[in-house]
Structure formats: C-alpha cells, structure tokens
Short mmCIF file of all heavy atoms in Angstrom, two decimals:
data_model
loop_
_atom_site.label_atom_id
_atom_site.label_comp_id
_atom_site.label_asym_id
_atom_site.label_seq_id
_atom_site.Cartn_x
_atom_site.Cartn_y
_atom_site.Cartn_z
N ASN A 1 47.22 72.90 81.69
CA ASN A 1 47.94 72.61 80.45
C ASN A 1 48.47 71.18 80.42
O ASN A 1 48.60 70.58 79.34
CB ASN A 1 49.12 73.57 80.29
CG ASN A 1 48.67 75.01 80.10
OD1 ASN A 1 48.16 75.38 79.06
ND2 ASN A 1 48.87 75.82 81.13
N GLY A 2 48.75 70.62 81.57
CA GLY A 2 49.22 69.24 81.64
C GLY A 2 48.18 68.27 81.11
O GLY A 2 48.52 67.25 80.49
N HIS A 3 46.91 68.58 81.37
CA HIS A 3 45.85 67.72 80.84
C HIS A 3 45.82 67.80 79.32
O HIS A 3 45.70 66.78 78.62
CB HIS A 3 44.50 68.15 81.42
CG HIS A 3 43.36 67.29 80.98
ND1 HIS A 3 42.10 67.79 80.74
CD2 HIS A 3 43.29 65.96 80.72
CE1 HIS A 3 41.31 66.80 80.37
NE2 HIS A 3 42.00 65.68 80.35
N TYR A 4 45.95 69.00 78.78
CA TYR A 4 45.98 69.17 77.33
C TYR A 4 47.14 68.39 76.71
O TYR A 4 46.97 67.65 75.74
CB TYR A 4 46.10 70.66 77.01
CG TYR A 4 46.22 70.97 75.54
CD1 TYR A 4 45.10 71.02 74.72
CD2 TYR A 4 47.47 71.21 74.97
CE1 TYR A 4 45.21 71.31 73.37
CE2 TYR A 4 47.59 71.50 73.61
CZ TYR A 4 46.46 71.54 72.82
OH TYR A 4 46.57 71.82 71.48
N LEU A 5 48.32 68.51 77.29
CA LEU A 5 49.50 67.82 76.76
C LEU A 5 49.37 66.30 76.90
O LEU A 5 49.80 65.54 76.03
CB LEU A 5 50.76 68.31 77.48
CG LEU A 5 51.13 69.79 77.24
CD1 LEU A 5 52.24 70.21 78.18
CD2 LEU A 5 51.54 70.01 75.79
N SER A 6 48.77 65.87 78.01
CA SER A 6 48.58 64.43 78.21
C SER A 6 47.61 63.85 77.19
O SER A 6 47.79 62.72 76.71
CB SER A 6 48.08 64.15 79.63
OG SER A 6 49.05 64.55 80.58
N ARG A 7 46.59 64.62 76.83
CA ARG A 7 45.66 64.16 75.80
C ARG A 7 46.36 64.09 74.44
O ARG A 7 46.05 63.23 73.61
CB ARG A 7 44.45 65.09 75.74
CG ARG A 7 43.56 65.01 76.98
CD ARG A 7 42.69 63.76 76.97
NE ARG A 7 41.74 63.82 75.87
CZ ARG A 7 40.57 64.44 75.90
NH1 ARG A 7 40.20 65.06 77.03
NH2 ARG A 7 39.78 64.43 74.86
N GLN A 8 47.30 65.01 74.19
CA GLN A 8 48.09 64.92 72.96
C GLN A 8 48.95 63.66 72.95
O GLN A 8 49.11 63.00 71.92
CB GLN A 8 48.99 66.15 72.82
CG GLN A 8 48.28 67.42 72.39
CD GLN A 8 49.24 68.55 72.10
OE1 GLN A 8 50.26 68.70 72.76
NE2 GLN A 8 48.93 69.35 71.08
N ALA A 9 49.50 63.31 74.12
CA ALA A 9 50.36 62.14 74.22
C ALA A 9 49.58 60.83 74.16
O ALA A 9 50.15 59.76 73.86
CB ALA A 9 51.16 62.20 75.53
N GLU A 10 48.29 60.90 74.43
CA GLU A 10 47.47 59.70 74.55
C GLU A 10 47.52 58.83 73.30
O GLU A 10 47.71 57.60 73.38
CB GLU A 10 46.02 60.09 74.84
CG GLU A 10 45.07 58.91 74.92
CD GLU A 10 43.62 59.35 75.04
OE1 GLU A 10 43.33 60.56 74.85
OE2 GLU A 10 42.77 58.47 75.30
N ALA A 11 47.35 59.43 72.12
CA ALA A 11 47.30 58.64 70.88
C ALA A 11 48.59 57.86 70.67
O ALA A 11 48.56 56.67 70.30
CB ALA A 11 47.02 59.55 69.70
N GLU A 12 49.72 58.50 70.92
CA GLU A 12 51.00 57.83 70.73
C GLU A 12 51.18 56.69 71.72
O GLU A 12 51.70 55.62 71.38
CB GLU A 12 52.13 58.86 70.86
CG GLU A 12 53.50 58.31 70.47
CD GLU A 12 54.55 59.40 70.37
OE1 GLU A 12 54.17 60.58 70.16
OE2 GLU A 12 55.74 59.07 70.51
N LEU A 13 50.74 56.89 72.96
CA LEU A 13 50.87 55.84 73.97
C LEU A 13 49.96 54.66 73.65
O LEU A 13 50.35 53.49 73.81
CB LEU A 13 50.55 56.41 75.36
CG LEU A 13 51.58 57.41 75.91
CD1 LEU A 13 51.08 58.07 77.19
CD2 LEU A 13 52.92 56.70 76.19
N ARG A 14 48.76 54.95 73.19
CA ARG A 14 47.85 53.86 72.82
C ARG A 14 48.40 53.08 71.62
O ARG A 14 48.26 51.86 71.54
CB ARG A 14 46.46 54.40 72.52
CG ARG A 14 45.72 54.91 73.75
CD ARG A 14 44.25 55.17 73.47
NE ARG A 14 43.58 55.73 74.63
CZ ARG A 14 43.15 55.03 75.68
NH1 ARG A 14 43.32 53.69 75.68
NH2 ARG A 14 42.56 55.62 76.69
N ALA A 15 49.03 53.80 70.70
CA ALA A 15 49.62 53.13 69.53
C ALA A 15 50.73 52.18 69.94
O ALA A 15 51.03 51.21 69.23
CB ALA A 15 50.16 54.18 68.56
N LYS A 16 51.35 52.44 71.10
CA LYS A 16 52.42 51.58 71.61
C LYS A 16 51.87 50.51 72.54
O LYS A 16 52.63 49.85 73.26
CB LYS A 16 53.48 52.42 72.31
CG LYS A 16 54.23 53.35 71.36
CD LYS A 16 55.30 54.15 72.08
CE LYS A 16 56.02 55.08 71.12
NZ LYS A 16 56.79 54.34 70.09
N GLY A 17 50.54 50.37 72.58
CA GLY A 17 49.93 49.28 73.33
C GLY A 17 49.65 49.58 74.78
O GLY A 17 49.34 48.66 75.55
N ILE A 18 49.72 50.82 75.19
CA ILE A 18 49.46 51.18 76.59
C ILE A 18 48.01 51.63 76.71
O ILE A 18 47.59 52.61 76.08
CB ILE A 18 50.41 52.28 77.07
CG1 ILE A 18 51.86 51.79 77.02
CG2 ILE A 18 50.04 52.73 78.49
CD1 ILE A 18 52.88 52.85 77.38
N ASP A 19 47.26 50.91 77.51
CA ASP A 19 45.85 51.23 77.76
C ASP A 19 45.81 52.16 78.98
O ASP A 19 46.20 51.76 80.08
CB ASP A 19 45.07 49.95 78.02
CG ASP A 19 43.57 50.18 77.98
OD1 ASP A 19 43.14 51.21 77.44
OD2 ASP A 19 42.83 49.34 78.53
N LEU A 20 45.34 53.38 78.80
CA LEU A 20 45.48 54.36 79.87
C LEU A 20 44.18 55.10 80.13
O LEU A 20 43.25 55.07 79.33
CB LEU A 20 46.60 55.35 79.54
CG LEU A 20 46.36 56.39 78.43
CD1 LEU A 20 47.23 57.60 78.66
CD2 LEU A 20 46.65 55.79 77.06
N ARG A 21 44.18 55.78 81.25
CA ARG A 21 43.14 56.75 81.55
C ARG A 21 43.83 58.05 81.98
O ARG A 21 44.92 58.01 82.56
CB ARG A 21 42.21 56.23 82.65
CG ARG A 21 42.84 56.10 84.01
CD ARG A 21 41.91 55.48 85.05
NE ARG A 21 41.67 54.06 84.80
CZ ARG A 21 41.06 53.25 85.68
NH1 ARG A 21 40.62 53.73 86.84
NH2 ARG A 21 40.90 51.97 85.40
N ILE A 22 43.21 59.18 81.70
CA ILE A 22 43.77 60.49 82.07
C ILE A 22 42.82 61.13 83.07
O ILE A 22 41.63 61.30 82.79
CB ILE A 22 43.97 61.39 80.84
CG1 ILE A 22 44.94 60.72 79.87
CG2 ILE A 22 44.50 62.76 81.25
CD1 ILE A 22 45.07 61.44 78.54
N ILE A 23 43.36 61.46 84.22
CA ILE A 23 42.55 62.00 85.32
C ILE A 23 42.88 63.48 85.47
O ILE A 23 44.02 63.86 85.73
CB ILE A 23 42.83 61.25 86.62
CG1 ILE A 23 42.46 59.76 86.45
CG2 ILE A 23 42.06 61.87 87.78
CD1 ILE A 23 43.03 58.87 87.52
N ASP A 24 41.86 64.31 85.29
CA ASP A 24 42.01 65.76 85.42
C ASP A 24 41.69 66.15 86.86
O ASP A 24 40.55 66.00 87.33
CB ASP A 24 41.05 66.47 84.45
CG ASP A 24 41.27 67.97 84.40
OD1 ASP A 24 42.17 68.47 85.11
OD2 ASP A 24 40.54 68.65 83.66
N LEU A 25 42.68 66.66 87.55
CA LEU A 25 42.56 66.97 88.98
C LEU A 25 41.47 68.01 89.23
O LEU A 25 40.70 67.91 90.19
CB LEU A 25 43.92 67.46 89.49
CG LEU A 25 44.12 67.66 90.98
CD1 LEU A 25 43.77 66.41 91.76
CD2 LEU A 25 45.58 68.06 91.23
N ARG A 26 41.46 69.07 88.46
CA ARG A 26 40.48 70.16 88.55
C ARG A 26 40.60 70.98 89.84
O ARG A 26 40.71 72.19 89.79
CB ARG A 26 39.05 69.64 88.43
CG ARG A 26 38.67 69.12 87.07
CD ARG A 26 37.27 68.52 87.12
NE ARG A 26 36.74 68.14 85.81
CZ ARG A 26 35.73 67.30 85.65
NH1 ARG A 26 35.14 66.75 86.70
NH2 ARG A 26 35.30 67.03 84.43
N TRP A 27 40.54 70.34 90.99
CA TRP A 27 40.55 71.03 92.28
C TRP A 27 41.91 70.81 92.93
O TRP A 27 42.22 69.70 93.36
CB TRP A 27 39.42 70.51 93.17
CG TRP A 27 38.08 70.60 92.51
CD1 TRP A 27 37.43 69.61 91.85
CD2 TRP A 27 37.26 71.78 92.39
NE1 TRP A 27 36.23 70.08 91.34
CE2 TRP A 27 36.10 71.40 91.66
CE3 TRP A 27 37.38 73.09 92.84
CZ2 TRP A 27 35.08 72.31 91.37
CZ3 TRP A 27 36.36 73.99 92.55
CH2 TRP A 27 35.23 73.61 91.82
N LEU A 28 42.72 71.85 92.99
CA LEU A 28 44.10 71.71 93.48
C LEU A 28 44.19 71.82 94.99
O LEU A 28 45.13 71.32 95.59
CB LEU A 28 44.99 72.77 92.82
CG LEU A 28 44.95 72.86 91.29
CD1 LEU A 28 46.07 73.77 90.79
CD2 LEU A 28 45.04 71.49 90.64
N ALA A 29 43.25 72.51 95.61
CA ALA A 29 43.22 72.59 97.07
C ALA A 29 41.78 72.86 97.50
O ALA A 29 41.10 73.69 96.89
CB ALA A 29 44.14 73.71 97.57
N PRO A 30 41.30 72.15 98.51
CA PRO A 30 41.98 71.01 99.12
C PRO A 30 42.06 69.84 98.14
O PRO A 30 41.18 69.68 97.28
CB PRO A 30 41.09 70.66 100.33
CG PRO A 30 39.74 71.16 99.94
CD PRO A 30 39.96 72.38 99.11
N LEU A 31 43.09 69.04 98.27
CA LEU A 31 43.31 67.93 97.37
C LEU A 31 42.16 66.93 97.47
O LEU A 31 41.84 66.46 98.56
CB LEU A 31 44.63 67.25 97.72
CG LEU A 31 45.25 66.32 96.68
CD1 LEU A 31 45.64 67.11 95.44
CD2 LEU A 31 46.48 65.63 97.27
N PRO A 32 41.50 66.58 96.36
CA PRO A 32 40.36 65.66 96.40
C PRO A 32 40.83 64.20 96.55
O PRO A 32 40.73 63.39 95.61
CB PRO A 32 39.67 65.90 95.06
CG PRO A 32 40.75 66.35 94.15
CD PRO A 32 41.73 67.12 95.01
N GLU A 33 41.32 63.86 97.70
CA GLU A 33 41.99 62.58 97.91
C GLU A 33 41.08 61.40 97.62
O GLU A 33 41.47 60.45 96.93
CB GLU A 33 42.55 62.51 99.33
CG GLU A 33 43.64 63.54 99.61
CD GLU A 33 44.26 63.36 100.98
OE1 GLU A 33 43.80 62.46 101.74
OE2 GLU A 33 45.21 64.10 101.31
N ALA A 34 39.86 61.42 98.16
CA ALA A 34 38.97 60.27 97.98
C ALA A 34 38.65 60.06 96.50
O ALA A 34 38.65 58.92 96.00
CB ALA A 34 37.68 60.48 98.79
N SER A 35 38.37 61.14 95.78
CA SER A 35 38.06 61.02 94.36
C SER A 35 39.25 60.50 93.57
O SER A 35 39.10 59.69 92.64
CB SER A 35 37.64 62.39 93.81
OG SER A 35 36.44 62.82 94.40
N LEU A 36 40.45 60.94 93.92
CA LEU A 36 41.64 60.49 93.22
C LEU A 36 41.90 59.01 93.45
O LEU A 36 42.22 58.26 92.52
CB LEU A 36 42.85 61.32 93.66
CG LEU A 36 42.90 62.75 93.14
CD1 LEU A 36 44.00 63.53 93.85
CD2 LEU A 36 43.14 62.76 91.63
N LEU A 37 41.79 58.59 94.69
CA LEU A 37 42.03 57.18 95.00
C LEU A 37 41.03 56.28 94.28
O LEU A 37 41.37 55.20 93.79
CB LEU A 37 41.97 56.96 96.51
CG LEU A 37 43.11 57.62 97.31
CD1 LEU A 37 42.85 57.51 98.80
CD2 LEU A 37 44.46 56.98 96.95
N LYS A 38 39.78 56.73 94.19
CA LYS A 38 38.77 55.96 93.46
C LYS A 38 39.08 55.95 91.97
O LYS A 38 38.92 54.93 91.29
CB LYS A 38 37.39 56.56 93.71
CG LYS A 38 36.26 55.79 93.03
CD LYS A 38 34.90 56.36 93.40
CE LYS A 38 33.78 55.61 92.70
NZ LYS A 38 33.77 54.18 93.02
N ALA A 39 39.56 57.10 91.45
CA ALA A 39 39.82 57.22 90.01
C ALA A 39 40.97 56.34 89.54
O ALA A 39 41.01 55.96 88.36
CB ALA A 39 40.12 58.68 89.66
N VAL A 40 41.91 55.99 90.42
CA VAL A 40 43.06 55.17 90.00
C VAL A 40 42.87 53.69 90.32
O VAL A 40 43.78 52.89 90.06
CB VAL A 40 44.37 55.66 90.65
CG1 VAL A 40 44.65 57.10 90.26
CG2 VAL A 40 44.34 55.50 92.17
N GLU A 41 41.72 53.34 90.85
CA GLU A 41 41.50 51.93 91.20
C GLU A 41 41.68 51.03 89.98
O GLU A 41 41.15 51.31 88.90
CB GLU A 41 40.09 51.75 91.77
CG GLU A 41 39.94 52.23 93.21
CD GLU A 41 38.53 52.02 93.74
OE1 GLU A 41 37.66 51.57 92.95
OE2 GLU A 41 38.29 52.32 94.92
N GLY A 42 42.44 49.97 90.16
CA GLY A 42 42.65 48.99 89.09
C GLY A 42 43.80 49.32 88.17
O GLY A 42 44.12 48.51 87.29
N CYS A 43 44.45 50.47 88.33
CA CYS A 43 45.57 50.84 87.44
C CYS A 43 46.89 50.25 87.96
O CYS A 43 47.14 50.20 89.17
CB CYS A 43 45.68 52.36 87.34
SG CYS A 43 44.39 53.07 86.32
N LYS A 44 47.74 49.85 87.02
CA LYS A 44 49.00 49.23 87.38
C LYS A 44 50.11 50.25 87.67
O LYS A 44 51.05 49.96 88.40
CB LYS A 44 49.46 48.30 86.25
CG LYS A 44 48.50 47.17 85.94
CD LYS A 44 48.94 46.39 84.71
CE LYS A 44 47.94 45.31 84.33
NZ LYS A 44 48.35 44.60 83.09
N ARG A 45 50.02 51.39 87.05
CA ARG A 45 51.03 52.42 87.22
C ARG A 45 50.35 53.80 87.25
O ARG A 45 49.29 54.00 86.65
CB ARG A 45 52.06 52.40 86.07
CG ARG A 45 52.96 51.16 86.02
CD ARG A 45 53.97 51.20 87.17
NE ARG A 45 54.94 50.13 87.09
CZ ARG A 45 54.81 48.92 87.62
NH1 ARG A 45 53.66 48.60 88.22
NH2 ARG A 45 55.77 48.03 87.53
N ILE A 46 51.00 54.74 87.94
CA ILE A 46 50.48 56.11 88.03
C ILE A 46 51.59 57.07 87.63
O ILE A 46 52.70 57.01 88.17
CB ILE A 46 50.01 56.45 89.46
CG1 ILE A 46 48.85 55.54 89.87
CG2 ILE A 46 49.60 57.92 89.56
CD1 ILE A 46 48.46 55.68 91.34
N LEU A 47 51.28 57.94 86.69
CA LEU A 47 52.21 59.00 86.29
C LEU A 47 51.56 60.35 86.58
O LEU A 47 50.45 60.63 86.12
CB LEU A 47 52.55 58.90 84.80
CG LEU A 47 53.44 60.03 84.24
CD1 LEU A 47 54.82 60.00 84.88
CD2 LEU A 47 53.53 59.95 82.72
N ILE A 48 52.26 61.18 87.32
CA ILE A 48 51.79 62.53 87.64
C ILE A 48 52.46 63.52 86.70
O ILE A 48 53.69 63.54 86.59
CB ILE A 48 52.11 62.88 89.11
CG1 ILE A 48 51.36 61.92 90.05
CG2 ILE A 48 51.74 64.33 89.41
CD1 ILE A 48 51.92 61.91 91.46
#
C-alpha cells in the first residue's frame, strides 16, 4: 500500500519541483540489498 500512496504523492511532489523515483521493494525477506543499493544510485535523498 505504501507504493500505491507514494504514487499518489508523486504528482504533487513533482509539481513542487522534486524530481523523484519510486522503488517498489517487492521482496521483504531476504532484503534485496544489492538491488536496492543499485536502485538508489545517484539520488540525493532517500525516504522510506
């Protein structure tokens, strides 16, 4: 549900000038650490 809500928030954040990406974890255990670290490469901030 967090992914759904984050996609709802996306339009408002982009309207405020924030260029973002939304990463859907999908696999909660074991934590896909390598995929996550690659997915956030180049980002200035991370919000969980």
Side-chain angles (χ1 to χ4, degrees):
N1 294 288
H3 183 216
Y4 177 81
L5 295 170
S6 297
R7 292 284 295 276
Q8 285 187 323
E10 177 187 11
E12 189 170 337
L13 291 172
R14 290 192 183 280
K16 294 181 181 295
I18 298 176
D19 193 18
L20 72 155
R21 68 185 70 170
I22 300 173
I23 299 165
D24 187 1
L25 189 54
R26 291 175 173 162
W27 305 97
L28 308 191
L31 197 64
E33 295 185 357
S35 295
L36 287 170
L37 293 172
K38 182 175 179 59
V40 300
E41 284 180 356
C43 286
K44 300 174 183 177
R45 293 288 187 271
I46 298 172
L47 175 64
I48 297 163

